[in-house]
Amino acid sequence: MNGQSLVLSKGKQYKSLLKHYAATKALTKTTQLHALAITSGLLSPHLRSSLSLSYANCGHLKNARKLFDEMPQPTLFSYNMMLKTYAQHGFYLQTLNLFVEMVNLGKCRADNYTYPFVFKAVGEEKLVIFGGVVHARVLTGGFEKDSFVMNSLLTMYMNCGEKEEGRKIFDTMWEPNVVSWNSMISGYFKNGCSKEALGVFNKMMDDGLETDCATVVSVLPVCGFLKELEVGRRVYELVKEKGWGKEMMVRNALVDMFAKCGSMKEARFIFDGMVERDVVTWTSLINVCILNGDMRAALRLCLLMVLEGVRPNSVTLASLLSACGESKNLMDGRCLHGWATRQRLEYSVMVETSLIDMYAKCNRVDLSFLVFKNTSKKNTVPWNAILSGCIHNRLGKEAVKLFKEMLIEGMKPNAATLKSLLPAYAICADMQQATNMHSYLLRSGLVSNNEIGTAVVDIYSKCGSLESAHKIFNGIPNENKDIYLWSVMIAGYGGHGHGEIAVSLFKQMVRAGVKPNEVTFTSVLHACSHAGLVDEGLDLFKLMLRNHQISPQADHYTCIVDLLGRSGRLDEAYDIIKTMPFAPTHAVWGALLGACVIHENVELGELAAKWLFELEPENTGNYVLMAKIYSAVGRWKDAENIRHIVNEIGLRKAPAHSLIEVRNM
DNA sequence: ATAGGGTTAG
């Protein structure tokens, strides 16, 4: 054997070895062979290609790219493999960069394998403009009949939020297959068109088209969202008929669908019938408990999950943490924070966001900031969370400051950012800042968004400029005036003592065919009580009680007690409290006590105070008010006794809680 | 070698 043929046979041997290493993801062996190839001078372009592929499969992207770059003329296959590797590992921008390099430098023509990787990356990065350019290349390149290319193009548009474009691709497709149909279902659902998604599925069934596992996995979340239990059951029948019930994904989707449709029995039946359960199965069931408000059961399931050897992921923790926030359950929230740390999940964006949100909702925004400080700040979601956390704790100035920092960091605010931020300007009530923000919104074109428009009206009202608020209100077309906008405008006038205008706006709203809800009634009753429109308020309250779609809440009773109490009709106020269908809250008794202070009524004052001392024994304000009544009527001794209690509470109360180190949990 | 599916935070 001469030298030449020895090299060739060695090269062949190495190539087949690398094929094996790539399949078994043997990184160490790949590295060893790489070194051997260098030292023996056998590193040919062909071997580089095999080595690159092996590194790629082992997940060592750096070396894969290095060897790729060392190839004098990478083949189309090598390009495609590199693109695939980047796309599979979530390096979408690198995918697109390499694609541009490959096409623009004229190195290779893209083929039917290239485009799906590219469209995947475009869809994930939501670069729809770029996607359109690649779309054009697909057409000029004559790929419009390739089902893989066209399906990936369809999904790309759906992932970019362009459902109309996606639909167009589907409608003009040469031969839509089951993947195309499934993509339409999931695409519509992702874009908030659940009805259309269900329509696509029904059409598939009616036309007797081919369906598969992915079809049912796509349509089941739609059934759950729409609470279409009957359709969900039909899908379950289909699953049994086709024998897809062994698939974990199908079973998980069934558990979730039945749970969301409120059929715990069927959800449990599927769950219990599963021999193997993964983290998604458990998370789905945990979510069911959370939905039912049973945190203890949810935590018990966590324990069972761990005992079965299934580890939680960031979704599991995010669900549990957000439940703690909703129920102001700081204790469990902190334990879960510790669990997240031990599971090395605390630096996942989703967990960070839920932690920020949970602490803020538990009124511990100091801890939210501690978590936020350690986030990467490259994602808008944690920013939005800390902004809404500030708002929840009425830290308007801090929110505005954070927003400015966010802009400086180069973050792009989205609609959710502004929704979180805008109440800050209403809290600050600083006209200058509000005007600046308004012009920012006008420039960004976001004012046309209904929710944002409502927020602007609210800001101007809170800043005291009812004229500006009303001008914007009038500028919104009548058919776009929804209940939120009306409520804000009514509350604006009510808050500044213009009860008559508030009531007349309320009547206008009803005439315009917008049904008042609990919030509108609170606003208008509040307006009446501020302006002393006692009978007007009583009439509205009676109207509300007669309207059976609206259930009177504690807020409404507080308003009406305040209204009657301020005008001196204390006995009537107490009569109303006695008719309440649920236990009066501290706010209701507080309104009565406040009125008793104004009108120096000892008897009812003592009654209200008795309840208040029981409901919120630590609130010194109640004792002070009662002392005030005693002093006013000359019962100095009683007043003195109560002031004494206030001092005792003050001494007993711990000093302001110190910042607790979360990291030590 | 290439396309579609399950839990989820602001």
Side-chain angles (χ1 to χ4, degrees):
Chain A
M1 205 188 257
N2 62 26
Q4 183 83 29
S5 60
L6 185 77
V7 168
L8 274 176
S9 81
K10 264 274 188 248
K12 261 193 188 151
Q13 197 191 329
Y14 284 178
K15 248 184 109 173
S16 75
L17 272 173
L18 281 169
K19 218 172 174 181
H20 178 68
Y21 296 162
T24 53
K25 296 188 197 295
L27 179 61
T28 323
K29 292 203 167 152
T30 306
T31 318
Q32 279 168 5
L33 210 147
H34 185 186
L36 197 62
I38 294 172
T39 50
S40 61
L42 286 172
L43 202 50
S44 64
H46 261 100
L47 199 58
R48 284 203 168 93
S49 166
S50 300
L51 270 168
S52 171
L53 187 57
S54 187
Y55 273 124
N57 278 353
C58 296
H60 201 303
L61 302 210
K62 236 177 107 183
N63 279 2
R65 180 63 196 250
K66 195 168 159 270
L67 281 152
F68 174 83
D69 284 337
E70 282 171 16
M71 289 161 68
Q73 269 191 333
T75 57
L76 176 57
F77 179 79
S78 302
Y79 266 112
N80 283 345
M81 279 303 137
M82 204 59 232
L83 290 170
K84 172 190 170 182
T85 309
Y86 278 140
Q88 275 179 350
H89 287 84
F91 294 105
Y92 301 117
L93 292 177
Q94 280 88 334
T95 313
L96 298 178
N97 266 327
L98 188 62
F99 172 71
V100 170
E101 203 179 287
M102 147 183 189
V103 174
N104 279 5
L105 299 183
K107 294 199 172 157
C108 269
R109 275 180 80 87
D111 69 356
N112 55 316
Y113 291 103
T114 315
Y115 287 114
F117 303 130
V118 176
F119 285 134
K120 168 80 183 159
V122 173
E124 292 293 330
E125 293 290 338
K126 316 222 175 298
L127 297 167
V128 68
I129 309 232
F130 185 81
V133 176
V134 185
H135 181 178
R137 285 194 92 94
V138 162
L139 299 183
T140 52
F143 292 100
E144 64 268 70
K145 286 184 192 168
D146 185 290
S147 66
F148 283 89
V149 174
M150 293 319 273
N151 281 337
S152 61
L153 179 63
L154 159 58
T155 305
M156 179 275 284
Y157 278 123
M158 286 303 196
N159 284 339
C160 290
E162 302 277 336
K163 56 174 190 290
E164 312 298 340
E165 280 304 313
R167 174 93 224 180
K168 263 191 223 158
I169 301 291
F170 181 76
D171 286 341
T172 55
M173 243 190 229
W174 191 251
E175 265 175 349
N177 60 16
V178 61
V179 178
S180 323
W181 284 88
N182 295 346
S183 305
M184 283 307 288
I185 296 177
S186 66
Y188 269 141
F189 184 55
K190 264 184 273 188
N191 285 290
C193 305
S194 314
K195 289 260 164 59
E196 287 84 348
L198 203 57
V200 173
F201 174 73
N202 285 332
K203 182 104 176 61
M204 278 175 96
M205 296 303 278
D206 292 346
D207 292 1
L209 296 175
E210 186 199 343
T211 51
D212 64 9
C213 277
T215 314
V216 299
V217 174
S218 302
V219 78
L220 284 171
V222 183
C223 299
F225 181 80
L226 294 171
K227 301 203 186 304
E228 288 275 5
L229 184 55
E230 283 313 311
V231 184
R233 282 187 181 136
R234 277 214 299 282
V235 176
Y236 181 39
E237 290 303 315
L238 183 71
V239 167
K240 282 194 284 193
E241 186 191 311
K242 302 270 189 177
W244 295 325
K246 294 183 297 295
E247 291 285 329
M248 179 103 76
M249 269 198 188
V250 173
R251 284 175 165 268
N252 284 344
L254 280 168
V255 170
D256 184 63
M257 180 275 295
F258 279 128
K260 289 226 168 79
C261 290
S263 176
M264 272 314 290
K265 252 176 91 179
E266 280 158 295
R268 222 33 237 220
F269 177 76
I270 307 279
F271 181 86
D272 291 335
M274 291 171 79
V275 219
E276 220 191 338
R277 300 148 180 163
D278 68 357
V279 62
V280 181
T281 324
W282 284 101
T283 307
S284 301
L285 209 68
I286 288 169
N287 281 332
V288 174
C289 298
I290 291 171
L291 224 62
N292 294 334
D294 193 346
M295 195 61 195
R296 300 262 68 84
L299 292 172
R300 263 202 308 280
L301 282 177
C302 289
L303 190 68
L304 291 175
M305 176 177 86
V306 172
L307 287 175
E308 246 190 49
V310 176
R311 282 187 48 189
N313 65 11
S314 51
V315 181
T316 322
L317 262 306
S319 290
L320 289 161
L321 286 167
S322 86
C324 290
E326 289 303 323
S327 55
K328 290 178 174 279
N329 181 352
L330 182 60
M331 218 165 63
D332 287 331
R334 300 196 65 151
C335 290
L336 288 164
H337 187 168
W339 197 32
T341 307
R342 291 192 293 278
Q343 295 292 327
R344 313 239 163 268
L345 289 168
E346 62 173 338
Y347 295 116
S348 112
V349 181
M350 222 193 284
V351 172
E352 283 172 336
T353 308
S354 322
L355 281 169
I356 293 168
D357 184 58
M358 182 273 291
Y359 282 129
K361 289 202 173 121
C362 292
N363 300 325
R364 287 301 301 271
V365 79
D366 54 326
L367 298 180
S368 299
F369 271 105
L370 220 54
V371 175
F372 181 71
K373 215 177 72 197
N374 290 307
T375 60
S376 78
K377 303 187 180 55
K378 289 277 169 266
N379 198 311
T380 39
V381 193
W383 283 100
N384 296 350
I386 192 75
L387 284 174
S388 75
C390 285
I391 300 305
H392 189 266
N393 289 273
R394 301 200 54 83
L395 300 173
K397 265 192 183 153
E398 277 77 359
V400 174
K401 203 176 131 228
L402 274 165
F403 179 65
K404 288 175 181 162
E405 277 173 34
M406 183 177 174
L407 294 178
I408 288 164
E409 289 269 342
M411 297 303 302
K412 216 177 154 247
N414 56 22
T417 314
L418 290 165
K419 248 168 58 188
S420 305
L421 168 75
L422 287 178
Y425 294 89
I427 294 170
C428 294
D430 177 336
M431 196 59 187
Q432 187 60 53
Q433 296 241 42
T435 321
N436 288 344
M437 192 60 203
H438 187 194
S439 72
Y440 172 86
L441 290 171
L442 285 169
R443 268 179 285 134
S444 66
L446 280 160
V447 260
S448 52
N449 178 314
N450 239 343
E451 277 177 74
I452 302 217
T454 304
V456 174
V457 173
D458 189 41
I459 291 168
Y460 278 119
S461 308
K462 295 271 163 56
C463 288
S465 178
L466 287 168
E467 308 93 279
S468 304
H470 210 137
K471 229 159 98 187
I472 297 167
F473 176 84
N474 284 339
I476 295 169
N478 276 334
E479 62 272 19
N480 283 356
K481 286 191 179 106
D482 60 10
I483 184 80
Y484 302 101
L485 182 63
W486 280 102
S487 300
V488 158
M489 200 63 245
I490 292 169
Y493 276 106
H496 287 91
H498 302 290
E500 289 89 353
I501 305 179
V503 173
S504 110
L505 273 168
F506 178 84
K507 287 177 180 163
Q508 264 183 57
M509 178 187 86
V510 175
R511 271 202 303 279
V514 176
K515 267 207 190 120
N517 66 9
E518 280 85 356
V519 180
T520 351
F521 271 107
T522 310
S523 300
V524 75
L525 288 176
H526 194 248
C528 291
S529 111
H530 260 234
L533 300 171
V534 187
D535 292 315
E536 199 82 65
L538 268 177
D539 284 346
L540 286 165
F541 185 66
K542 281 176 196 153
L543 179 80
M544 185 181 77
L545 292 181
R546 274 201 307 275
N547 184 338
H548 295 294
Q549 274 145 337
I550 295 171
S551 54
Q553 297 165 340
D555 274 354
H556 302 127
Y557 283 98
T558 309
C559 282
I560 211 76
V561 167
D562 187 57
L563 176 75
L564 289 165
R566 275 169 195 267
S567 67
R569 291 156 72 168
L570 291 167
D571 292 318
E572 274 177 79
Y574 182 50
D575 285 341
I576 294 250
I577 295 180
K578 282 192 285 195
T579 66
M580 280 178 71
F582 49 88
T585 59
H586 68 90
V588 174
W589 291 119
L592 185 65
L593 181 63
C596 291
V597 176
I598 303 170
H599 300 285
E600 299 172 3
N601 186 321
V602 179
E603 191 196 341
L604 279 176
E606 280 179 332
L607 199 129
K610 204 189 99 209
W611 282 103
L612 282 166
F613 296 163
E614 209 164 291
L615 287 167
E616 33 176 34
E618 298 281 285
N619 186 343
T620 46
N622 297 325
Y623 300 90
V624 173
L625 287 179
M626 195 60 226
K628 224 171 159 179
I629 299 179
Y630 284 135
S631 305
V633 297
R635 285 169 62 172
W636 310 111
K637 189 111 187 84
D638 291 317
E640 193 50 46
N641 283 341
I642 288 205
R643 291 215 177 85
H644 197 66
I645 299 174
V646 173
N647 284 337
E648 269 180 18
I649 293 170
L651 288 174
R652 209 172 50 238
K653 256 193 185 166
H657 49 233
S658 58
L659 206 96
I660 303 164
E661 263 302 327
V662 195
R663 304 237 159 254
N664 289 341
M665 289 202 320

